[in-house]
Amino acid sequence: MDTFTSFWPFVIGTLIVCNLTLVCCEFSPKDVVYAVNCGGDYFKDSHGINYQSDESSSGIASDFGKQFLVFGRVSQSDSVLYQTEKYDSDTFGYDVPLDGDGDYVLVLKFSEVYFNSPGAKVFGVLLNDRHRVISDLDIYEKVGKAVAHEEYIPFSVQNGKMNFNGESSTVYDSFRLDFLKGELDNPKINAFYLYKGDIKDVPRLPPLSSAVKSEQFNEEQEEEDEPIVPRDKILSGPKAEDPYINDETSLVLPVLVAIGCAVPITLCLWKLG
């Protein structure tokens, strides 16, 4: 048996292991315990997650984001999740059910649809009346306007205890999710879901490109960055090409000069000889 033939079992075995790993670690919407389209109606996103309509009496519903048909970093269909929201002039929140012991990931979805600069809306998020999982969130500062942003909060539940970042608190069949009022405007949330499983299996938004992040800034600065040209001045055109760069006569002339000088010298030397 040659080396090439003996190598095939190794290749096939590796492919099988890789495929099994992918299957075992693949995100499944069936592992989503709870999902809400905040301030909006029922919606099923591109990952198969079923977001229930928002029936909570806490917070104020708004569809101000519907003026934007498409949000950055998500498809047009999934933009529905960022068009509606819940906000309040005070702290508000939701009661989120659990599904026994295990590892969880809370995924919070945000988008800024009102302010045009950072430092206008800043707030925090509290879990189970104990864990400050987000402090001083400024959506615009992170992604700009009309761009999707997500926060991923991993925690575990074991024997009646919620564990987050080395701290624990007593928990039963559900926990409280609060959006904390800060000094700068009102807290808000567009949508969220609770996934039971490992954080590495949770779908992520694509990276934020610098072009998307600076889009609003460029639009605001467009007029200021235009060059001001005096009326008595004419804008210069493209740089002129060297008129001799392709002129073959520029090589012929020195040759003719050299010949013209050489002929008289040769005649003089001939006569002297």
Side-chain angles (χ1 to χ4, degrees), residues 205-251:
L205 291 175
L208 180 68
S209 67
S210 57
V212 171
K213 192 172 183 179
S214 62
E215 181 178 352
Q216 287 82 15
F217 176 79
N218 290 337
E219 289 177 355
E220 294 170 0
Q221 296 296 318
E222 188 175 6
E223 293 184 0
E224 296 181 11
D225 293 342
E226 253 182 282
I228 300 175
V229 182
R231 293 184 179 181
D232 59 340
K233 299 292 184 180
I234 300 176
L235 286 173
S236 62
K239 184 179 180 180
E241 296 183 358
D242 185 348
Y244 301 106
I245 191 169
N246 294 318
D247 190 356
E248 294 181 356
T249 58
S250 61
L251 296 176

mmCIF file of all heavy atoms in Angstrom, residues 205-251:
data_model
loop_
_atom_site.group_PDB
_atom_site.id
_atom_site.type_symbol
_atom_site.label_atom_id
_atom_site.label_comp_id
_atom_site.label_asym_id
_atom_site.label_seq_id
_atom_site.Cartn_x
_atom_site.Cartn_y
_atom_site.Cartn_z
ATOM 1 N N LEU A 205 -23.507 39.128 15.099
ATOM 2 C CA LEU A 205 -23.603 40.104 14.021
ATOM 3 C C LEU A 205 -22.262 40.175 13.292
ATOM 4 O O LEU A 205 -21.212 39.941 13.894
ATOM 5 C CB LEU A 205 -23.953 41.483 14.577
ATOM 6 C CG LEU A 205 -25.351 41.670 15.152
ATOM 7 C CD1 LEU A 205 -25.472 43.057 15.773
ATOM 8 C CD2 LEU A 205 -26.411 41.477 14.088
ATOM 9 N N PRO A 206 -22.270 40.510 12.003
ATOM 10 C CA PRO A 206 -21.004 40.685 11.291
ATOM 11 C C PRO A 206 -20.233 41.869 11.852
ATOM 12 O O PRO A 206 -20.829 42.750 12.487
ATOM 13 C CB PRO A 206 -21.442 40.937 9.840
ATOM 14 C CG PRO A 206 -22.833 41.461 9.953
ATOM 15 C CD PRO A 206 -23.440 40.750 11.139
ATOM 16 N N PRO A 207 -18.910 41.910 11.648
ATOM 17 C CA PRO A 207 -18.114 43.028 12.167
ATOM 18 C C PRO A 207 -18.616 44.370 11.632
ATOM 19 O O PRO A 207 -19.132 44.458 10.526
ATOM 20 C CB PRO A 207 -16.698 42.718 11.654
ATOM 21 C CG PRO A 207 -16.701 41.251 11.380
ATOM 22 C CD PRO A 207 -18.092 40.910 10.945
ATOM 23 N N LEU A 208 -18.464 45.379 12.437
ATOM 24 C CA LEU A 208 -18.861 46.724 12.048
ATOM 25 C C LEU A 208 -17.779 47.336 11.183
ATOM 26 O O LEU A 208 -16.661 47.564 11.633
ATOM 27 C CB LEU A 208 -19.096 47.579 13.293
ATOM 28 C CG LEU A 208 -19.531 49.017 13.058
ATOM 29 C CD1 LEU A 208 -20.932 49.050 12.460
ATOM 30 C CD2 LEU A 208 -19.492 49.790 14.364
ATOM 31 N N SER A 209 -18.097 47.614 9.936
ATOM 32 C CA SER A 209 -17.102 48.206 9.030
ATOM 33 C C SER A 209 -16.934 49.674 9.362
ATOM 34 O O SER A 209 -17.853 50.353 9.816
ATOM 35 C CB SER A 209 -17.537 48.046 7.567
ATOM 36 O OG SER A 209 -18.683 48.817 7.302
ATOM 37 N N SER A 210 -15.744 50.192 9.105
ATOM 38 C CA SER A 210 -15.466 51.604 9.376
ATOM 39 C C SER A 210 -16.330 52.493 8.506
ATOM 40 O O SER A 210 -16.689 53.603 8.877
ATOM 41 C CB SER A 210 -13.986 51.901 9.127
ATOM 42 O OG SER A 210 -13.631 51.548 7.791
ATOM 43 N N ALA A 211 -16.702 51.991 7.311
ATOM 44 C CA ALA A 211 -17.531 52.784 6.405
ATOM 45 C C ALA A 211 -18.914 52.996 6.999
ATOM 46 O O ALA A 211 -19.466 54.088 6.969
ATOM 47 C CB ALA A 211 -17.647 52.090 5.053
ATOM 48 N N VAL A 212 -19.499 51.927 7.608
ATOM 49 C CA VAL A 212 -20.821 52.046 8.216
ATOM 50 C C VAL A 212 -20.754 52.935 9.440
ATOM 51 O O VAL A 212 -21.596 53.795 9.644
ATOM 52 C CB VAL A 212 -21.359 50.648 8.612
ATOM 53 C CG1 VAL A 212 -22.628 50.791 9.438
ATOM 54 C CG2 VAL A 212 -21.627 49.825 7.365
ATOM 55 N N LYS A 213 -19.724 52.745 10.250
ATOM 56 C CA LYS A 213 -19.627 53.477 11.511
ATOM 57 C C LYS A 213 -19.470 54.971 11.298
ATOM 58 O O LYS A 213 -19.939 55.773 12.081
ATOM 59 C CB LYS A 213 -18.451 52.950 12.335
ATOM 60 C CG LYS A 213 -18.452 53.459 13.774
ATOM 61 C CD LYS A 213 -17.397 52.755 14.593
ATOM 62 C CE LYS A 213 -17.447 53.206 16.038
ATOM 63 N NZ LYS A 213 -16.456 52.530 16.874
ATOM 64 N N SER A 214 -18.796 55.381 10.195
ATOM 65 C CA SER A 214 -18.544 56.800 9.965
ATOM 66 C C SER A 214 -19.494 57.412 8.950
ATOM 67 O O SER A 214 -19.320 58.551 8.554
ATOM 68 C CB SER A 214 -17.097 56.994 9.483
ATOM 69 O OG SER A 214 -16.899 56.314 8.247
ATOM 70 N N GLU A 215 -20.520 56.667 8.542
ATOM 71 C CA GLU A 215 -21.401 57.137 7.479
ATOM 72 C C GLU A 215 -22.086 58.441 7.854
ATOM 73 O O GLU A 215 -22.076 59.405 7.090
ATOM 74 C CB GLU A 215 -22.455 56.076 7.158
ATOM 75 C CG GLU A 215 -23.389 56.483 6.039
ATOM 76 C CD GLU A 215 -24.382 55.383 5.718
ATOM 77 O OE1 GLU A 215 -24.241 54.279 6.265
ATOM 78 O OE2 GLU A 215 -25.295 55.654 4.919
ATOM 79 N N GLN A 216 -22.706 58.487 9.061
ATOM 80 C CA GLN A 216 -23.409 59.698 9.447
ATOM 81 C C GLN A 216 -22.445 60.869 9.592
ATOM 82 O O GLN A 216 -22.755 61.992 9.222
ATOM 83 C CB GLN A 216 -24.157 59.476 10.772
ATOM 84 C CG GLN A 216 -25.385 58.595 10.653
ATOM 85 C CD GLN A 216 -25.030 57.124 10.674
ATOM 86 O OE1 GLN A 216 -23.919 56.749 11.056
ATOM 87 N NE2 GLN A 216 -25.965 56.290 10.263
ATOM 88 N N PHE A 217 -21.257 60.607 10.133
ATOM 89 C CA PHE A 217 -20.278 61.676 10.321
ATOM 90 C C PHE A 217 -19.873 62.269 8.979
ATOM 91 O O PHE A 217 -19.771 63.477 8.819
ATOM 92 C CB PHE A 217 -19.050 61.139 11.045
ATOM 93 C CG PHE A 217 -17.955 62.167 11.199
ATOM 94 C CD1 PHE A 217 -18.024 63.132 12.187
ATOM 95 C CD2 PHE A 217 -16.859 62.174 10.335
ATOM 96 C CE1 PHE A 217 -17.021 64.076 12.320
ATOM 97 C CE2 PHE A 217 -15.866 63.116 10.472
ATOM 98 C CZ PHE A 217 -15.944 64.071 11.466
ATOM 99 N N ASN A 218 -19.663 61.400 8.000
ATOM 100 C CA ASN A 218 -19.259 61.877 6.674
ATOM 101 C C ASN A 218 -20.351 62.704 6.032
ATOM 102 O O ASN A 218 -20.077 63.707 5.357
ATOM 103 C CB ASN A 218 -18.911 60.693 5.767
ATOM 104 C CG ASN A 218 -17.625 60.013 6.186
ATOM 105 O OD1 ASN A 218 -16.794 60.628 6.851
ATOM 106 N ND2 ASN A 218 -17.458 58.751 5.821
ATOM 107 N N GLU A 219 -21.622 62.290 6.238
ATOM 108 C CA GLU A 219 -22.721 63.040 5.660
ATOM 109 C C GLU A 219 -22.807 64.429 6.276
ATOM 110 O O GLU A 219 -23.059 65.414 5.587
ATOM 111 C CB GLU A 219 -24.033 62.287 5.879
ATOM 112 C CG GLU A 219 -24.157 61.023 5.028
ATOM 113 C CD GLU A 219 -25.433 60.264 5.309
ATOM 114 O OE1 GLU A 219 -26.164 60.702 6.245
ATOM 115 O OE2 GLU A 219 -25.699 59.265 4.627
ATOM 116 N N GLU A 220 -22.599 64.501 7.596
ATOM 117 C CA GLU A 220 -22.681 65.783 8.280
ATOM 118 C C GLU A 220 -21.538 66.703 7.887
ATOM 119 O O GLU A 220 -21.673 67.926 7.847
ATOM 120 C CB GLU A 220 -22.675 65.560 9.799
ATOM 121 C CG GLU A 220 -23.916 64.837 10.302
ATOM 122 C CD GLU A 220 -23.787 64.420 11.747
ATOM 123 O OE1 GLU A 220 -22.724 64.711 12.340
ATOM 124 O OE2 GLU A 220 -24.725 63.817 12.285
ATOM 125 N N GLN A 221 -20.384 66.119 7.587
ATOM 126 C CA GLN A 221 -19.200 66.910 7.284
ATOM 127 C C GLN A 221 -19.023 67.174 5.791
ATOM 128 O O GLN A 221 -18.108 67.865 5.388
ATOM 129 C CB GLN A 221 -17.949 66.189 7.804
ATOM 130 C CG GLN A 221 -17.908 66.035 9.309
ATOM 131 C CD GLN A 221 -17.826 67.380 9.996
ATOM 132 O OE1 GLN A 221 -17.096 68.259 9.567
ATOM 133 N NE2 GLN A 221 -18.592 67.554 11.063
ATOM 134 N N GLU A 222 -19.927 66.620 4.962
ATOM 135 C CA GLU A 222 -19.737 66.689 3.514
ATOM 136 C C GLU A 222 -19.620 68.118 3.023
ATOM 137 O O GLU A 222 -18.725 68.467 2.258
ATOM 138 C CB GLU A 222 -20.902 65.987 2.807
ATOM 139 C CG GLU A 222 -20.682 65.850 1.303
ATOM 140 C CD GLU A 222 -21.797 65.051 0.662
ATOM 141 O OE1 GLU A 222 -22.780 64.712 1.360
ATOM 142 O OE2 GLU A 222 -21.677 64.783 -0.536
ATOM 143 N N GLU A 223 -20.553 68.997 3.478
ATOM 144 C CA GLU A 223 -20.534 70.374 3.001
ATOM 145 C C GLU A 223 -19.333 71.121 3.544
ATOM 146 O O GLU A 223 -18.732 71.943 2.854
ATOM 147 C CB GLU A 223 -21.826 71.070 3.410
ATOM 148 C CG GLU A 223 -23.061 70.494 2.703
ATOM 149 C CD GLU A 223 -24.311 71.280 3.051
ATOM 150 O OE1 GLU A 223 -24.179 72.252 3.836
ATOM 151 O OE2 GLU A 223 -25.382 70.929 2.552
ATOM 152 N N GLU A 224 -18.957 70.841 4.807
ATOM 153 C CA GLU A 224 -17.833 71.545 5.408
ATOM 154 C C GLU A 224 -16.522 71.184 4.735
ATOM 155 O O GLU A 224 -15.609 71.997 4.663
ATOM 156 C CB GLU A 224 -17.754 71.203 6.899
ATOM 157 C CG GLU A 224 -18.975 71.680 7.683
ATOM 158 C CD GLU A 224 -18.862 71.338 9.159
ATOM 159 O OE1 GLU A 224 -17.758 70.928 9.559
ATOM 160 O OE2 GLU A 224 -19.858 71.479 9.883
ATOM 161 N N ASP A 225 -16.415 69.972 4.239
ATOM 162 C CA ASP A 225 -15.176 69.516 3.635
ATOM 163 C C ASP A 225 -15.024 69.931 2.174
ATOM 164 O O ASP A 225 -14.004 69.696 1.566
ATOM 165 C CB ASP A 225 -15.095 67.976 3.719
ATOM 166 C CG ASP A 225 -14.956 67.509 5.152
ATOM 167 O OD1 ASP A 225 -14.590 68.346 5.990
ATOM 168 O OD2 ASP A 225 -15.235 66.330 5.433
ATOM 169 N N GLU A 226 -16.076 70.566 1.583
ATOM 170 C CA GLU A 226 -15.972 70.984 0.199
ATOM 171 C C GLU A 226 -14.994 72.130 0.078
ATOM 172 O O GLU A 226 -15.050 73.109 0.823
ATOM 173 C CB GLU A 226 -17.354 71.443 -0.305
ATOM 174 C CG GLU A 226 -17.991 70.461 -1.270
ATOM 175 C CD GLU A 226 -19.317 71.007 -1.769
ATOM 176 O OE1 GLU A 226 -20.294 70.919 -1.019
ATOM 177 O OE2 GLU A 226 -19.338 71.534 -2.879
ATOM 178 N N PRO A 227 -14.054 72.103 -0.868
ATOM 179 C CA PRO A 227 -13.096 73.186 -1.025
ATOM 180 C C PRO A 227 -13.776 74.460 -1.499
ATOM 181 O O PRO A 227 -14.677 74.425 -2.345
ATOM 182 C CB PRO A 227 -12.129 72.651 -2.091
ATOM 183 C CG PRO A 227 -12.906 71.635 -2.837
ATOM 184 C CD PRO A 227 -13.854 71.028 -1.844
ATOM 185 N N ILE A 228 -13.407 75.590 -0.918
ATOM 186 C CA ILE A 228 -13.957 76.881 -1.303
ATOM 187 C C ILE A 228 -13.011 77.514 -2.328
ATOM 188 O O ILE A 228 -11.843 77.763 -2.052
ATOM 189 C CB ILE A 228 -14.106 77.810 -0.078
ATOM 190 C CG1 ILE A 228 -15.045 77.140 0.937
ATOM 191 C CG2 ILE A 228 -14.611 79.171 -0.487
ATOM 192 C CD1 ILE A 228 -15.177 77.897 2.237
ATOM 193 N N VAL A 229 -13.537 77.801 -3.509
ATOM 194 C CA VAL A 229 -12.726 78.335 -4.601
ATOM 195 C C VAL A 229 -13.159 79.761 -4.891
ATOM 196 O O VAL A 229 -14.339 80.011 -5.161
ATOM 197 C CB VAL A 229 -12.882 77.488 -5.875
ATOM 198 C CG1 VAL A 229 -11.998 78.023 -6.988
ATOM 199 C CG2 VAL A 229 -12.577 76.042 -5.578
ATOM 200 N N PRO A 230 -12.242 80.750 -4.845
ATOM 201 C CA PRO A 230 -12.591 82.129 -5.188
ATOM 202 C C PRO A 230 -13.124 82.199 -6.611
ATOM 203 O O PRO A 230 -12.710 81.456 -7.487
ATOM 204 C CB PRO A 230 -11.250 82.870 -5.053
ATOM 205 C CG PRO A 230 -10.441 82.014 -4.137
ATOM 206 C CD PRO A 230 -10.847 80.626 -4.423
ATOM 207 N N ARG A 231 -14.072 83.153 -6.850
ATOM 208 C CA ARG A 231 -14.706 83.248 -8.156
ATOM 209 C C ARG A 231 -13.735 83.648 -9.260
ATOM 210 O O ARG A 231 -13.966 83.353 -10.426
ATOM 211 C CB ARG A 231 -15.856 84.253 -8.095
ATOM 212 C CG ARG A 231 -17.006 83.771 -7.196
ATOM 213 C CD ARG A 231 -18.160 84.729 -7.219
ATOM 214 N NE ARG A 231 -19.269 84.258 -6.386
ATOM 215 C CZ ARG A 231 -20.422 84.904 -6.247
ATOM 216 N NH1 ARG A 231 -20.611 86.055 -6.871
ATOM 217 N NH2 ARG A 231 -21.362 84.408 -5.481
ATOM 218 N N ASP A 232 -12.670 84.376 -8.909
ATOM 219 C CA ASP A 232 -11.722 84.804 -9.930
ATOM 220 C C ASP A 232 -10.633 83.770 -10.169
ATOM 221 O O ASP A 232 -9.673 84.038 -10.879
ATOM 222 C CB ASP A 232 -11.085 86.145 -9.538
ATOM 223 C CG ASP A 232 -10.362 86.048 -8.200
ATOM 224 O OD1 ASP A 232 -10.668 85.104 -7.442
ATOM 225 O OD2 ASP A 232 -9.514 86.915 -7.929
ATOM 226 N N LYS A 233 -10.773 82.612 -9.542
ATOM 227 C CA LYS A 233 -9.786 81.554 -9.722
ATOM 228 C C LYS A 233 -10.388 80.417 -10.532
ATOM 229 O O LYS A 233 -11.578 80.152 -10.469
ATOM 230 C CB LYS A 233 -9.315 81.008 -8.364
ATOM 231 C CG LYS A 233 -8.657 82.049 -7.478
ATOM 232 C CD LYS A 233 -7.330 82.515 -8.037
ATOM 233 C CE LYS A 233 -6.658 83.489 -7.087
ATOM 234 N NZ LYS A 233 -5.363 83.969 -7.599
ATOM 235 N N ILE A 234 -9.558 79.751 -11.304
ATOM 236 C CA ILE A 234 -9.975 78.603 -12.092
ATOM 237 C C ILE A 234 -9.306 77.370 -11.525
ATOM 238 O O ILE A 234 -8.107 77.353 -11.300
ATOM 239 C CB ILE A 234 -9.590 78.787 -13.583
ATOM 240 C CG1 ILE A 234 -10.277 80.036 -14.144
ATOM 241 C CG2 ILE A 234 -9.977 77.566 -14.392
ATOM 242 C CD1 ILE A 234 -9.888 80.350 -15.559
ATOM 243 N N LEU A 235 -10.130 76.359 -11.284
ATOM 244 C CA LEU A 235 -9.553 75.121 -10.764
ATOM 245 C C LEU A 235 -8.592 74.533 -11.775
ATOM 246 O O LEU A 235 -8.876 74.466 -12.963
ATOM 247 C CB LEU A 235 -10.661 74.110 -10.469
ATOM 248 C CG LEU A 235 -11.507 74.389 -9.222
ATOM 249 C CD1 LEU A 235 -12.653 73.400 -9.165
ATOM 250 C CD2 LEU A 235 -10.660 74.293 -7.982
ATOM 251 N N SER A 236 -7.449 74.117 -11.289
ATOM 252 C CA SER A 236 -6.475 73.508 -12.185
ATOM 253 C C SER A 236 -6.949 72.143 -12.604
ATOM 254 O O SER A 236 -7.613 71.447 -11.843
ATOM 255 C CB SER A 236 -5.119 73.395 -11.483
ATOM 256 O OG SER A 236 -5.242 72.569 -10.350
ATOM 257 N N GLY A 237 -6.585 71.756 -13.834
ATOM 258 C CA GLY A 237 -6.964 70.444 -14.333
ATOM 259 C C GLY A 237 -5.950 69.412 -13.908
ATOM 260 O O GLY A 237 -5.129 69.652 -13.015
ATOM 261 N N PRO A 238 -5.962 68.268 -14.568
ATOM 262 C CA PRO A 238 -4.992 67.211 -14.237
ATOM 263 C C PRO A 238 -3.581 67.641 -14.587
ATOM 264 O O PRO A 238 -3.360 68.495 -15.454
ATOM 265 C CB PRO A 238 -5.455 66.030 -15.101
ATOM 266 C CG PRO A 238 -6.233 66.657 -16.207
ATOM 267 C CD PRO A 238 -6.891 67.856 -15.627
ATOM 268 N N LYS A 239 -2.626 67.064 -13.907
ATOM 269 C CA LYS A 239 -1.228 67.407 -14.131
ATOM 270 C C LYS A 239 -0.829 67.150 -15.580
ATOM 271 O O LYS A 239 -1.125 66.097 -16.142
ATOM 272 C CB LYS A 239 -0.339 66.572 -13.207
ATOM 273 C CG LYS A 239 1.131 66.923 -13.306
ATOM 274 C CD LYS A 239 1.929 66.070 -12.348
ATOM 275 C CE LYS A 239 3.415 66.397 -12.437
ATOM 276 N NZ LYS A 239 4.219 65.576 -11.521
ATOM 277 N N ALA A 240 -0.188 68.161 -16.214
ATOM 278 C CA ALA A 240 0.203 68.033 -17.622
ATOM 279 C C ALA A 240 1.300 66.994 -17.775
ATOM 280 O O ALA A 240 2.189 66.874 -16.936
ATOM 281 C CB ALA A 240 0.675 69.378 -18.158
ATOM 282 N N GLU A 241 1.243 66.245 -18.871
ATOM 283 C CA GLU A 241 2.263 65.247 -19.142
ATOM 284 C C GLU A 241 3.512 65.918 -19.699
ATOM 285 O O GLU A 241 3.465 67.006 -20.286
ATOM 286 C CB GLU A 241 1.745 64.222 -20.154
ATOM 287 C CG GLU A 241 0.573 63.405 -19.628
ATOM 288 C CD GLU A 241 0.140 62.363 -20.636
ATOM 289 O OE1 GLU A 241 0.738 62.336 -21.724
ATOM 290 O OE2 GLU A 241 -0.786 61.595 -20.324
ATOM 291 N N ASP A 242 4.649 65.272 -19.525
ATOM 292 C CA ASP A 242 5.906 65.747 -20.070
ATOM 293 C C ASP A 242 5.812 65.711 -21.595
ATOM 294 O O ASP A 242 5.619 64.653 -22.197
ATOM 295 C CB ASP A 242 7.045 64.838 -19.597
ATOM 296 C CG ASP A 242 8.404 65.362 -20.029
ATOM 297 O OD1 ASP A 242 8.444 66.276 -20.878
ATOM 298 O OD2 ASP A 242 9.410 64.836 -19.514
ATOM 299 N N PRO A 243 5.908 66.854 -22.264
ATOM 300 C CA PRO A 243 5.737 66.877 -23.723
ATOM 301 C C PRO A 243 6.813 66.107 -24.455
ATOM 302 O O PRO A 243 6.676 65.816 -25.632
ATOM 303 C CB PRO A 243 5.786 68.380 -24.062
ATOM 304 C CG PRO A 243 6.536 68.998 -22.941
ATOM 305 C CD PRO A 243 6.179 68.191 -21.729
ATOM 306 N N TYR A 244 7.932 65.811 -23.814
ATOM 307 C CA TYR A 244 9.031 65.115 -24.480
ATOM 308 C C TYR A 244 9.114 63.635 -24.133
ATOM 309 O O TYR A 244 10.008 62.950 -24.609
ATOM 310 C CB TYR A 244 10.377 65.784 -24.105
ATOM 311 C CG TYR A 244 10.431 67.242 -24.479
ATOM 312 C CD1 TYR A 244 10.332 68.213 -23.487
ATOM 313 C CD2 TYR A 244 10.544 67.636 -25.804
ATOM 314 C CE1 TYR A 244 10.362 69.558 -23.814
ATOM 315 C CE2 TYR A 244 10.582 68.987 -26.139
ATOM 316 C CZ TYR A 244 10.490 69.944 -25.145
ATOM 317 O OH TYR A 244 10.508 71.261 -25.482
ATOM 318 N N ILE A 245 8.129 63.165 -23.273
ATOM 319 C CA ILE A 245 8.275 61.808 -22.775
ATOM 320 C C ILE A 245 8.195 60.758 -23.871
ATOM 321 O O ILE A 245 8.848 59.728 -23.834
ATOM 322 C CB ILE A 245 7.217 61.541 -21.683
ATOM 323 C CG1 ILE A 245 7.522 60.243 -20.978
ATOM 324 C CG2 ILE A 245 5.800 61.506 -22.269
ATOM 325 C CD1 ILE A 245 6.707 60.030 -19.724
ATOM 326 N N ASN A 246 7.373 61.036 -24.911
ATOM 327 C CA ASN A 246 7.232 60.095 -26.015
ATOM 328 C C ASN A 246 7.750 60.654 -27.345
ATOM 329 O O ASN A 246 7.427 60.127 -28.404
ATOM 330 C CB ASN A 246 5.758 59.672 -26.186
ATOM 331 C CG ASN A 246 5.256 58.885 -25.011
ATOM 332 O OD1 ASN A 246 5.978 58.030 -24.497
ATOM 333 N ND2 ASN A 246 4.035 59.175 -24.571
ATOM 334 N N ASP A 247 8.515 61.766 -27.297
ATOM 335 C CA ASP A 247 9.018 62.413 -28.511
ATOM 336 C C ASP A 247 10.376 61.827 -28.893
ATOM 337 O O ASP A 247 11.363 62.027 -28.195
ATOM 338 C CB ASP A 247 9.137 63.925 -28.254
ATOM 339 C CG ASP A 247 9.424 64.680 -29.542
ATOM 340 O OD1 ASP A 247 9.603 64.017 -30.584
ATOM 341 O OD2 ASP A 247 9.469 65.923 -29.485
ATOM 342 N N GLU A 248 10.400 61.118 -30.018
ATOM 343 C CA GLU A 248 11.638 60.456 -30.435
ATOM 344 C C GLU A 248 12.701 61.454 -30.877
ATOM 345 O O GLU A 248 13.889 61.151 -30.894
ATOM 346 C CB GLU A 248 11.342 59.480 -31.584
ATOM 347 C CG GLU A 248 10.454 58.317 -31.141
ATOM 348 C CD GLU A 248 10.209 57.358 -32.292
ATOM 349 O OE1 GLU A 248 10.661 57.666 -33.416
ATOM 350 O OE2 GLU A 248 9.573 56.313 -32.056
ATOM 351 N N THR A 249 12.278 62.677 -31.235
ATOM 352 C CA THR A 249 13.259 63.687 -31.682
ATOM 353 C C THR A 249 14.180 64.102 -30.553
ATOM 354 O O THR A 249 15.276 64.600 -30.774
ATOM 355 C CB THR A 249 12.536 64.928 -32.229
ATOM 356 O OG1 THR A 249 11.681 65.455 -31.197
ATOM 357 C CG2 THR A 249 11.685 64.564 -33.440
ATOM 358 N N SER A 250 13.749 63.884 -29.314
ATOM 359 C CA SER A 250 14.590 64.239 -28.179
ATOM 360 C C SER A 250 15.844 63.381 -28.140
ATOM 361 O O SER A 250 16.833 63.761 -27.530
ATOM 362 C CB SER A 250 13.798 64.083 -26.880
ATOM 363 O OG SER A 250 13.383 62.743 -26.737
ATOM 364 N N LEU A 251 15.843 62.215 -28.805
ATOM 365 C CA LEU A 251 17.026 61.362 -28.876
ATOM 366 C C LEU A 251 17.838 61.639 -30.131
ATOM 367 O O LEU A 251 19.057 61.490 -30.147
ATOM 368 C CB LEU A 251 16.577 59.887 -28.864
ATOM 369 C CG LEU A 251 15.867 59.425 -27.587
ATOM 370 C CD1 LEU A 251 15.407 57.987 -27.768
ATOM 371 C CD2 LEU A 251 16.795 59.544 -26.390
#
